[in-house]
């Protein structure tokens, strides 16, 4: 299995504020004030939606470029909510200022249903957890 992505998170002294290193990029995550955080950074589910939005934008831009279509300015708006049974639902709304016909939009909607992050979220991912070392005496 090849290693494609990596991320590390480290706690701070500020309750739920954590520093994230994804690849060679630094970010922070926190919870909103109403959940006991500082509201100092996006919450984990904000990053979840952001990853889907980013993959959406990049995939559709790549596809449009290959086809020679002018997307113009592209925007993806995502919202997530839980239903009464606790199941999560994401609504993805796409906008583009380019001159796209209905057939082009239909194809973009087909493509967006199969972006890599969309597939991973829809199909699920195997996640394993192990204990790491905490000090030199472990």
């Amino acid at each position: 299995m090849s290693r494609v992505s990596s991320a590390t998170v480290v706690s701070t002294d500020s309750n739920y504020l954590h520093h994230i290193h994804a690849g060679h990029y630094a970010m922070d995550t926190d919870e909103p004030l109403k959940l006991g955080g500082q509201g100092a950074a996006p919450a984990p589910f904000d990053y979840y939606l952001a990853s889907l939005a980013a993959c959406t934008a990049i995939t559709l831009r790549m596809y449009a470029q290959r086809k020679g279509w002018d997307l113009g300015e592209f925007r993806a708006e995502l919202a997530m909510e839980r239903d009464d049974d606790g199941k999560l639902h994401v609504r993805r709304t796409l906008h583009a200022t380019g001159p796209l016909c209905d057939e082009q939009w239909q194809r973009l909607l087909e493509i967006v249903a199969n972006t890599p992050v969309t597939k991973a979220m829809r199909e699920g991912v195997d996640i394993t957890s192990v204990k790491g070392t905490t000090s030199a005496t472990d």
Side-chain angles (χ1 to χ4, degrees), residues 16-18 20 27-32 39-47 50:
Y16 300 134
L17 179 66
H18 286 73
I20 301 170
M27 306 173 266
D28 288 334
T29 189
D30 197 1
E31 288 290 346
F45 272 116
D46 296 330
Y47 282 117

Side-chain angles (χ1 to χ4, degrees), residues 45 48 79-91:
F45 272 116
Y48 183 84
M80 183 170 53
E81 62 185 11
R82 285 189 191 275
D83 64 20
D84 293 338
D85 295 326
K87 183 176 166 110
L88 289 171
H89 298 270
V90 175
R91 180 176 178 87

